[in-house]
Amino acid sequence: MTEQARSGFVTFVGRPNVGKSTLTNALVGEKIAIISDKPQTTRRAIRGIVNRPEGQLVIVDTPGIHKPRTLLGERLNDLVEQVLGDVDVIGFCVPATEKVGPGDRRIAASLDGYPRAKKIAIVTKTDAASRDEITERLMEVDSLREDWAAVIPLSALTRDQLEVLSDEVLALMPTGPALYPEGITTDETEEDRIAEIIREAALDGVRDELPHSIAVVVDDIAPREGSDLTDVHASIVVERDSQKAIIIGHKGSRLRDVGAKARGEIEGLLGTRVFLGLHVKVAKEWQRDPKQLGRLGF
Ligand code: GDP
Ligand code: K
Ligand code: MG
């Protein structure tokens, strides 16, 4: 018996840092979403594509719904609402390592607002939890809703049970042809991916409000004539002069580290050697300014 191919959209929801972006990347098999231990670091809807013999999954990694503090926050919430209303499957994530709390309960209950999507529960980070903890979490999560199509424990880090998840999600998708050509892992542009790599490197080691104030714009990508080098120029945009000083660091030391870390990854992405020119700019209160937001692509 040959079954018809299936395809559709899935997104993962859950509190910040439960492992949604890591899971997206692990399923796609390539880093397309940035991972950070800072909450709320995903800032756009990023699509990752998974091809399987049985069909195609398009994973949409979103920032998640948060209390909006700025115009940027409001726009991101609208974006997430739209994604949740459109997807075929929603995967609700809780980490095996932490007890289910009010935040998890609120998010699980809010899925009532998206009746179109089938819902599955995912217990993440099983590599970091004991058997008893995993069992306890599975029971807690199971009781949060009556309509889970499946409850799956997994580890994105060790890849344990990832296939179980993708099989389960695919089986819930409508039948239909692939939505993207095979061989494509994301619909993100090269510029977007480079900007995110730089943002991830710049986020590493900064604290408090600063992560939220950082945006990155790629100004130029050009192969250098007569060499195997690509010149990439990008701007790291912050909101205040004091933040600019932190990003640059003593005698430019921090910016150099950010550049070195990002350059290696960009070389992997482009498959050439890279000269990376980073410039730090101040755009006052860009998160609240519609014109600046437009310029930064939000
Ligand atoms: P998100 O905010 O839900 O997108 O979470 P991230 O994917 O950014 O991950 C948050 C943190 O959890 C990062 O430090 C990850 O390295 C870590 N993490 C994610 N998945 C796993 C996992 O399967 N096992 C372990 N031990 N850590 C994980
Ligand atoms: K995060
Ligand atoms: Mg994320």
Side-chain angles (χ1 to χ4, degrees):
M1 192 185 81
T2 59
E3 279 197 41
Q4 244 196 302
R6 296 178 179 275
S7 63
F9 293 87
V10 55
T11 192
F12 302 119
V13 299
R15 284 183 292 113
N17 283 354
V18 296
K20 303 178 292 291
S21 296
T22 307
L23 180 56
T24 299
N25 291 339
L27 288 167
V28 173
E30 197 176 307
K31 191 160 119 188
I32 55 154
I34 77 173
I35 314 298
S36 168
D37 54 4
K38 318 279 179 310
Q40 300 175 39
T41 42
T42 301
R43 226 182 235 162
R44 297 175 311 158
I46 293 174
R47 289 173 176 190
I49 298 144
V50 183
N51 289 300
R52 312 265 303 160
E54 306 80 21
Q56 186 178 67
L57 294 179
V58 183
I59 309 175
V60 192
D61 189 41
T62 77
I65 304 261
H66 303 285
K67 201 175 274 174
R69 280 182 243 275
T70 61
L71 183 59
L72 173 64
E74 283 173 36
R75 291 200 182 169
L76 295 181
N77 280 353
D78 291 347
L79 176 82
V80 178
E81 288 278 355
Q82 204 185 331
V83 168
L84 288 169
D86 283 346
V87 293
D88 303 287
V89 175
I90 297 174
F92 168 75
C93 300
V94 295
T97 48
E98 294 164 44
K99 280 192 94 52
V100 165
D104 302 301
R105 273 190 274 279
R106 187 165 31 76
I107 295 169
S110 76
L111 300 185
D112 283 344
Y114 311 101
R116 188 184 166 274
K118 299 189 171 129
K119 288 135 193 122
I120 59 174
I122 301 167
V123 171
T124 61
K125 309 191 189 185
T126 53
D127 61 279
S130 69
R131 252 166 206 278
D132 288 350
E133 283 176 305
I134 296 168
T135 309
E136 186 180 86
R137 217 63 68 233
L138 286 168
M139 279 161 36
E140 286 174 356
V141 165
D142 190 51
S143 68
L144 288 179
R145 295 187 67 86
E146 299 203 327
D147 59 354
W148 298 129
V151 181
I152 301 169
L154 57 77
S155 165
L157 201 68
T158 63
R159 308 192 60 83
D160 187 38
Q161 293 259 103
L162 282 190
E163 290 220 359
V164 173
L165 175 69
S166 49
D167 287 350
E168 199 72 57
V169 173
L170 255 180
L172 294 171
M173 291 295 176
T175 55
L179 302 161
Y180 289 88
E182 238 178 272
I184 291 184
T185 54
T186 178
D187 65 352
E188 291 280 283
T189 64
E190 211 160 63
E191 275 182 32
D192 289 339
R193 295 183 75 181
I194 289 171
E196 287 290 276
I197 288 169
I198 296 167
R199 190 161 68 90
E200 184 179 45
L203 281 173
D204 195 23
V206 301
R207 285 182 306 166
D208 307 326
E209 280 307 299
L210 184 47
H212 300 281
S213 296
I214 298 173
V216 175
V217 185
V218 172
D219 302 310
D220 191 44
I221 307 172
R224 194 181 291 183
E225 249 177 78
S227 80
D228 70 335
L229 203 65
T230 306
D231 285 299
V232 176
H233 289 274
S235 303
I236 300 178
V237 182
V238 293
E239 299 196 285
R240 289 190 289 278
D241 290 321
S242 58
Q243 296 175 332
K244 180 173 172 176
I246 295 171
I247 292 290
I248 293 173
H250 183 59
K251 293 187 176 161
S253 59
R254 195 166 177 286
L255 190 61
R256 268 198 304 279
D257 290 347
V258 169
K261 182 159 184 269
R263 196 187 64 235
E265 275 201 50
I266 298 168
E267 288 181 335
L269 179 67
L270 298 182
T272 69
R273 288 192 304 130
V274 164
F275 169 83
L276 178 61
L278 290 179
H279 318 274
V280 186
K281 291 182 186 162
V282 178
K284 295 235 150 51
E285 301 278 329
W286 67 259
Q287 293 184 75
R288 296 168 200 280
D289 179 348
K291 231 194 250 152
Q292 297 280 8
L293 283 177
R295 241 175 247 148
L296 294 168
F298 293 105

